[in-house]
Amino acid sequence: MRIRTFDEYQTAYQKSVDDPEEFWAEIAQNFQWRKPWTKTLQWNFSEPNIKWFIGGKLNITENCLDRHLIERGDQPAIIWEPNDPNEAGVTLTYRMLHDQVCRFANVLKRNGVVKGDRVCIYMPMVPELAIAVLACARIGAVHSVVFGGFSAQSIADRINDAQCKVVVTADGSYRGNKEIPLKSTVDDALIGCPSVQKVIVMTRTRTPVSMLKGRDIWWEQELKQVTADCPAEEMDAEDMLFILYTSGSTGKPKGVVHTCGGYMVYATYTFQNVFQYEPGQVFFCTADIGWITGHSYIVYGPLASGATSVIFEGVPTYPDCGRFWDITDKHNVNILYTAPTAIRSLMGFGLDKVENHDLSSLQVLGSVGEPINEEAWHWYDDNIGKNRCPIVDTWWQTETGGILISPLAGITKTKPTFATLPLPGVQPILVDENGKEIEGNGVSGNLCMKFPWPGILRTTYGDHERCRQTYFATYPGLYFTGDGCLRDEDGYYRITGRVDDVLNVSGHRIGTAEVENAINMHTGVVESAVVGYPHDIKGQGIYAYVITDQQPDGHDVELTKRDILATVTRVIGPIAKPDKIQFVTGLPKTRSGKIMRRILRKIAEGDTSNLGDTSTLLDPAVVDEIKAGAT
Ligand code: 7RM
């Protein structure tokens, strides 16, 4: 299943286009199935209805755990590095992880969780997070991991959308020098969540927590009541494995649904090929398991491959900006997978905390989450990879389940800022506004896919029509990614960024509409418009134009801004806080009432010289006012 030369890549790619079913069937043979599939693929993009490995039966945890027990039972599956480098870490071998997953699966069972039930997981980056995820998969429960930085309101929205029966959380979490309450945030969320029957609380920070009788139970207490014997539930290839919420251009986040068979095959195949994983290597993905990158490349892809996966609880700058390099040397990391925003932030600290590290264990470097600029690419290449580690710039999305466009490490010739070529099984197409294909090289357009791969989303939870509308209706017959893309003379792809109203702030996807809704909840706010602007470290910053019923002045300006930030933090979470707020008396609207975001983006960028055509504006004077007050 691993490609080793560029020739082999080309052969595999051609085969994946000529005979996709045969291509993926051969790859899927490498997994452990309880029962083989009878038909490899059935699909249409119009409903959409996409099914892979039809009739196949499996459990993904048998592939991630049981299968490895004989050959590598004593090999580390997870190396956990705590926030505080002076605290003892944890190494779990495949045998230990198997044991703990089975035990916690039994805890879920004895608390009434059965196949198909949804379980919300809101936890710090501790081994128990991966254990909770795998325990759900073991018994066929659907996990919905919510990133630990989201607010009570965001948790409640996600729990209610998926009708979760159980929440798994911890008392608190550590991030740098901060201690963050988790359980009390869950308590606030659950005021409005009647579907939740049990809350399982793991002890991490020992911060005082309230434990509601009949609902809240301790992880550690529960474990005393169970054995390590938990046969895996037999799942259909198309049974739901998990829901993961992601932001779009409108409304509340959507619950992207991935299923057992296709997701397993795709996450694992891409893990092994993109990173050119060799048995025994240590893989360190710095993402949080609360995002898709963590699902696919901390938990499922590496574990299904029998790899050693590092879970890091903390942040890149604590106790100092050499932390990633400390971890790399301490655990002899071979493959490092991180985000451009982290690279850019570390670049700013200079080389002092890099040069005092060895880093010779590194063999492959990865980048994910946002476009990587040339400067960051070279800094990563020169100073971390010492010009001897291939860099894989991996482009993909929550909806794609795994990497779609990326070099294969050491095989595909790289080019800074280019995600390069589609993986086997991936058929990109560029289209113009009207959906017409843009052929040839040296062109750009909207990036779509014309054929399904096993990891593509199947639906958005509880609202299939929204899935169709969002991804399959803009260009009939195609999956629309929402990204703009350039294909250069070599046929290499460079992703240029979102073409919809989705922001990418430090690699986090945030909808402008979500931020606007949060701002509008603040008292006195009449209306707001949010746009992104280029930010040196975050990639994009959030710029909010706000109309209030009483325009603040003097000291009130700063106070009101502070209050708005507090409101956004409460409604969504700190990641959605605007970097800049400008109070305005009006917004540039067309006669039909549409906000002309193009103009607001230009002003936020600081480029007011050429605002383009403003003749359709209802009141062109507001533009001058906004220009004058830009921050
Ligand atoms: C994996 C992940 C998806 C959006 C996507 C892009 C952007 C991700 C790259 C990238 C340029 C990359 N999932 N994006 N990777 N842009 N180069 N290598 O990030 O659902 O959270 O975000 O992120 O805009 O549509 S995500």
Side-chain angles (χ1 to χ4, degrees):
M1 135 157 141
R2 223 188 91 188
I3 292 163
R4 289 173 185 276
T5 64
F6 195 70
D7 268 358
E8 279 179 27
Y9 160 72
Q10 287 181 312
T11 310
Y13 190 83
Q14 197 54 50
K15 173 156 187 189
S16 79
V17 173
D18 295 342
D19 193 351
E21 293 197 41
E22 179 56 27
F23 175 79
W24 286 111
E26 261 173 43
I27 288 162
Q29 307 283 354
N30 293 294
F31 295 82
Q32 197 173 300
W33 297 82
R34 291 261 186 105
K35 210 175 126 199
W37 59 94
T38 50
K39 174 128 186 62
T40 305
L41 170 65
Q42 213 172 56
W43 70 289
N44 70 67
F45 275 174
S46 52
E47 295 177 57
N49 183 356
I50 305 155
K51 292 192 168 101
W52 282 93
F53 312 115
I54 296 158
K57 304 284 179 192
L58 76 157
N59 186 291
I60 196 168
T61 71
E62 287 184 336
N63 286 271
C64 290
L65 302 169
D66 305 61
R67 183 160 64 129
H68 305 309
L69 292 181
I70 294 168
E71 266 190 52
R72 47 178 125 257
D74 296 319
Q75 181 205 297
I78 287 175
I79 295 176
W80 177 65
E81 174 70 22
N83 178 62
D84 177 353
N86 298 316
E87 184 185 338
V90 168
T91 296
L92 295 178
T93 63
Y94 272 95
R95 198 179 321 287
M96 291 154 82
L97 183 61
H98 177 268
D99 177 277
Q100 295 208 29
V101 168
C102 288
R103 286 179 192 276
F104 193 66
N106 282 332
V107 169
L108 292 173
K109 269 195 198 163
R110 70 178 233 113
N111 284 286
V113 180
V114 298
K115 179 175 176 174
D117 284 346
R118 277 80 55 215
V119 174
C120 173
I121 302 177
Y122 185 71
M123 289 183 81
M125 280 285 283
V126 290
E128 287 81 357
L129 167 50
I131 290 166
V133 162
L134 292 164
C136 288
R138 185 102 184 149
I139 63 171
V142 176
H143 54 78
S144 166
V145 183
V146 176
F147 172 61
F150 279 119
S151 66
Q153 183 63 57
S154 299
I155 302 169
D157 290 345
R158 286 158 174 76
I159 288 175
N160 288 332
D161 187 75
Q163 290 292 295
C164 295
K165 195 182 203 176
V166 165
V167 178
V168 185
T169 188
D171 46 2
S173 73
Y174 298 115
R175 262 177 80 79
N177 47 30
K178 288 210 249 326
E179 207 179 298
I180 299 156
L182 294 180
K183 173 60 164 64
S184 76
T185 304
V186 167
D187 289 338
D188 291 345
L190 294 191
I191 293 169
C193 299
S195 64
V196 174
Q197 297 173 4
K198 286 277 157 63
V199 180
I200 306 175
V201 186
M202 188 219 137
T203 307
R204 175 67 186 116
T205 56
R206 301 198 158 269
T207 184
V209 293
S210 111
M211 294 291 282
L212 199 67
K213 191 184 291 174
R215 187 194 73 179
D216 300 351
I217 52 183
W218 293 106
W219 174 295
E220 297 78 8
Q221 293 288 320
E222 285 296 303
L223 278 180
K224 291 184 185 151
Q225 315 293 322
V226 295
T227 69
D229 179 31
C230 181
E233 186 80 28
E234 185 168 290
M235 304 295 284
D236 189 89
E238 284 299 335
D239 279 340
M240 221 182 289
L241 174 62
F242 66 83
I243 304 169
L244 187 57
Y245 286 83
T246 195
S247 296
S249 51
T250 55
K252 285 194 175 158
K254 294 176 284 280
V256 169
V257 170
H258 286 289
T259 58
C260 296
Y263 175 82
M264 170 183 75
V265 168
Y266 198 72
T268 311
Y269 176 76
T270 53
F271 171 74
Q272 294 182 17
N273 279 288
V274 168
F275 301 104
Q276 289 291 299
Y277 166 75
E278 294 275 3
Q281 284 185 324
V282 176
F283 183 81
F284 177 21
C285 167
T286 69
D288 193 289
I289 294 175
W291 308 111
I292 190 68
T293 305
H295 280 59
S296 300
Y297 301 111
I298 294 176
V299 181
Y300 289 115
L303 297 180
S305 305
T308 300
S309 185
V310 176
I311 297 182
F312 173 41
E313 184 184 36
V315 296
T317 50
Y318 181 84
D320 62 47
C321 62
R323 190 65 193 278
F324 280 178
W325 326 127
D326 293 343
I327 297 172
T328 299
D329 282 351
K330 178 171 171 192
H331 300 297
N332 287 307
V333 170
N334 303 116
I335 308 171
L336 175 70
Y337 192 30
T338 193
T341 189
I343 298 168
R344 287 191 298 261
S345 128
L346 296 177
M347 265 167 76
F349 293 96
L351 291 173
D352 287 3
K353 290 282 189 285
V354 178
E355 282 166 347
N356 59 349
H357 290 82
D358 178 41
L359 303 184
S360 64
S361 59
L362 288 174
Q363 296 174 12
V364 172
L365 301 178
S367 172
V368 61
E370 44 176 328
I372 181 165
N373 50 307
E374 191 134 13
E375 197 192 350
W377 197 99
H378 283 296
W379 188 88
Y380 200 25
D381 187 35
D382 295 344
N383 302 296
I384 308 305
K386 321 275 184 202
N387 303 113
R388 49 168 198 81
C389 302
I391 295 179
V392 289
D393 176 359
T394 64
W395 174 83
W396 59 296
Q397 311 177 292
T398 306
E399 295 86 344
T400 70
I403 299 163
L404 293 195
I405 304 182
S406 169
L408 305 181
I411 292 175
T412 313
K413 198 169 159 341
T414 57
K415 195 186 278 191
T417 75
F418 283 81
T420 75
L421 298 172
L423 299 188
V426 175
Q427 300 188 35
I429 167 173
L430 301 183
V431 298
D432 68 15
E433 307 293 279
N434 306 315
K436 196 173 161 324
E437 175 164 12
I438 302 170
E439 285 172 288
N441 289 341
V443 294
S444 48
N446 293 335
L447 179 62
C448 296
M449 299 292 154
K450 54 184 169 195
F451 199 86
W453 59 98
I456 189 174
L457 85 163
R458 301 301 194 264
T459 189
T460 48
Y461 192 80
D463 196 348
H464 193 63
E465 173 57 15
R466 192 168 177 208
C467 172
R468 191 188 67 79
Q469 274 289 342
T470 311
Y471 306 106
F472 300 94
T474 317
Y475 305 113
L478 301 176
Y479 166 80
F480 177 43
T481 65
D483 280 317
C485 181
L486 172 123
R487 184 168 55 219
D488 76 357
E489 295 301 339
D490 297 328
Y492 271 29
Y493 291 84
R494 169 203 261 163
I495 285 60
T496 47
R498 303 288 305 194
V499 294
D500 53 10
D501 293 317
V502 174
L503 306 180
N504 193 324
V505 181
S506 300
H508 300 151
R509 238 171 104 165
I510 301 168
T512 53
E514 265 177 278
V515 184
E516 288 164 2
N517 290 338
I519 294 172
N520 296 349
M521 289 182 69
H522 188 69
T523 184
V525 171
V526 176
E527 197 181 359
S528 62
V530 164
V531 297
Y533 70 95
H535 186 287
D536 285 348
I537 291 171
K538 299 178 174 187
Q540 273 187 308
I542 304 179
Y543 196 119
Y545 300 89
V546 179
I547 305 174
T548 51
D549 50 11
Q550 276 165 341
Q551 181 90 336
D553 58 11
H555 189 47
D556 277 353
V557 172
E558 285 318 306
L559 287 178
T560 309
K561 282 185 185 178
R562 220 184 50 186
D563 293 344
I564 289 175
L565 295 184
T567 303
V568 173
T569 302
R570 175 159 305 261
V571 177
I572 305 176
I575 60 170
K577 276 195 294 192
D579 299 273
K580 292 183 182 176
I581 295 175
Q582 181 184 347
F583 293 105
V584 296
T585 58
L587 292 166
K589 287 191 182 170
T590 60
R591 272 177 262 274
S592 58
K594 238 181 106 162
I595 297 173
M596 288 187 80
R597 287 167 188 282
R598 178 178 56 79
I599 293 174
L600 295 177
R601 274 194 288 265
K602 281 269 185 194
I603 297 172
E605 272 169 33
D607 172 12
T608 51
S609 56
N610 178 19
L611 293 179
D613 182 14
T614 55
S615 63
T616 56
L617 284 179
L618 190 60
D619 176 14
V622 295
V623 174
D624 295 318
E625 180 219 305
I626 296 174
K627 269 193 333 200
T631 58

